[in-house]
Every structure is written in C-alpha cells, then in structure tokens.
Amino acid sequence: MANWNKITMTNVGAALQAKVNAGLTTLKFTRVAIGSGTRTGDLGSATGLVKEELTLGINSITQNGSTVTLDLTISNSGITTGFKITEMGLFATDTDDGEIMYVALIDDNPDYMPAEGSSTVVQQDFQLVFTMSNTGSVSAIINQNGFLTVAHNTDETAHENILMVTTTADKPASMSDRGMWVEIVE
C-alpha cells in the first residue's frame, strides 16, 4: 500500500506560492505525474520527477476554505512495462517560468503498477488534499478525456442526445423535451 511519507513543497513551488500570497498571480494546477525514479539529495530542490512514467489528468478540483481537493484517476491502460510508483509530482503554471513541479511526494514502500494486459487491471480514483495558509484563487486544468464519474452518469444534463428505449407507450418523465424516444411495439 502506498506510503507517501515525504511530501514537500518544492523551492519553485514555494516561489509560486509567494506570488499567490502577494496577489500577483493565481494558483493553477496542470497535472499530477507518477514515476519510478529514486531521488537523492534535497526533495525541495526537485524541478521534475527523476523518471516520469505516467501523467494523471485532474478530474475535478474543489476548494473549501483553505483546503483544496484534487480528484484523480490512475489506470494501467497504455502502460507497456510495469513499474514501482516511487514518486509523484503535482504540477502548476507559473506566469514567469511555465509549468513547474509545485509539490513532490516520495514513497519508500511503493506499490507496483502492472502493465496493461497483465492479470491485474488497475483503475482507481483517489484524492490529493492540501491545506494551505493562503489559497487565493485556485484552479486546475481538467482532463476532458478522463473516465466517466458517477456524478456525470447521474446528471440528466450530461447526456443531451440520449436515446431512451421502452416497452411501454408512455414517454419517460426523465426525457423532458430532449433526446429521442423509441417505443418497442410487438
């Protein structure tokens, strides 16, 4: 089981946070990446992962006071060679420096990510939750090609061109005036 025991705001992340605290910019997360590298030296000086293996899109972001929550999905879809997940990075946009690694995480007891097509299929939703002294305005680039979520599938406005098939002559109440309704007549 993952044990992210070393979580550090990087030096470039701290510089970006100082700009946010001064009201000079907003905090915009771009992605989360995982890797299999082994870092030596100061984690705060990291500017990227040692060996990046996979980028995770951000499915959603919520802010509640000083707490920011990122919803993510990890999957072994497209992975050709398995690896141990030893490092993770949260990336953000700096108006002066472009994309930077805002936070670095290290796992001394890493989980194994199997290759796609192995006997184990991996698809796991998880959250990164941060409490900050000054969040200012926080946003994220949302992964438009991510997995469907339960909230999406239960939202009636998520499927504007829905096809409803029924064996009764009654138009379903949930269809309203959108989509196409088909009655099966036997």
Side-chain angles (χ1 to χ4, degrees):
M1 182 166 177
N3 181 28
W4 300 104
N5 57 359
K6 295 178 184 162
I7 303 169
T8 304
M9 179 178 280
T10 63
N11 297 341
V12 291
L16 174 57
Q17 187 62 48
K19 293 175 192 176
V20 171
N21 292 351
L24 301 175
T25 189
T26 59
L27 186 55
K28 184 173 188 177
F29 296 120
T30 55
R31 65 189 177 100
V32 173
I34 58 173
S36 61
T38 302
R39 182 165 307 281
T40 57
D42 177 36
L43 191 56
S45 64
T47 57
L49 298 180
V50 173
K51 186 173 181 189
E52 187 171 323
E53 298 280 358
L54 181 65
T55 293
L56 311 177
I58 300 170
N59 298 329
S60 67
I61 182 171
T62 55
Q63 180 180 351
N64 185 4
S66 62
T67 301
V68 175
T69 303
L70 300 174
D71 292 308
L72 308 155
T73 301
I74 188 170
S75 169
N76 67 340
S77 177
I79 294 178
T80 57
T81 304
F83 61 94
K84 287 188 176 185
I85 306 171
T86 57
E87 56 183 343
M88 182 184 303
L90 171 59
F91 293 81
T93 299
D94 185 302
T95 53
D96 297 321
D97 299 321
E99 186 179 71
I100 57 119
M101 187 163 67
Y102 182 77
V103 172
L105 301 90
I106 299 295
D107 188 349
D108 292 331
N109 184 25
D111 285 336
Y112 183 76
M113 173 63 80
E116 180 181 28
S118 66
S119 60
T120 304
V121 176
V122 174
Q123 182 176 329
Q124 178 70 45
D125 294 329
F126 70 100
Q127 295 180 323
L128 289 180
V129 181
F130 297 93
T131 301
M132 307 166 126
S133 61
N134 181 0
T135 55
S137 175
V138 181
S139 65
I141 296 175
I142 305 300
N143 178 13
Q144 298 299 318
N145 298 316
F147 297 99
L148 292 178
T149 64
V150 172
H152 172 83
N153 278 340
T154 57
D155 181 358
E156 287 199 30
T157 62
H159 306 279
E160 289 298 322
N161 295 313
I162 194 167
L163 172 63
M164 178 76 67
V165 179
T166 180
T167 58
T168 68
D170 298 327
K171 180 179 177 183
S174 65
M175 284 295 295
S176 63
D177 293 321
R178 57 187 178 81
M180 180 170 40
W181 171 63
V182 176
E183 178 185 352
I184 298 174
V185 179
E186 294 183 27

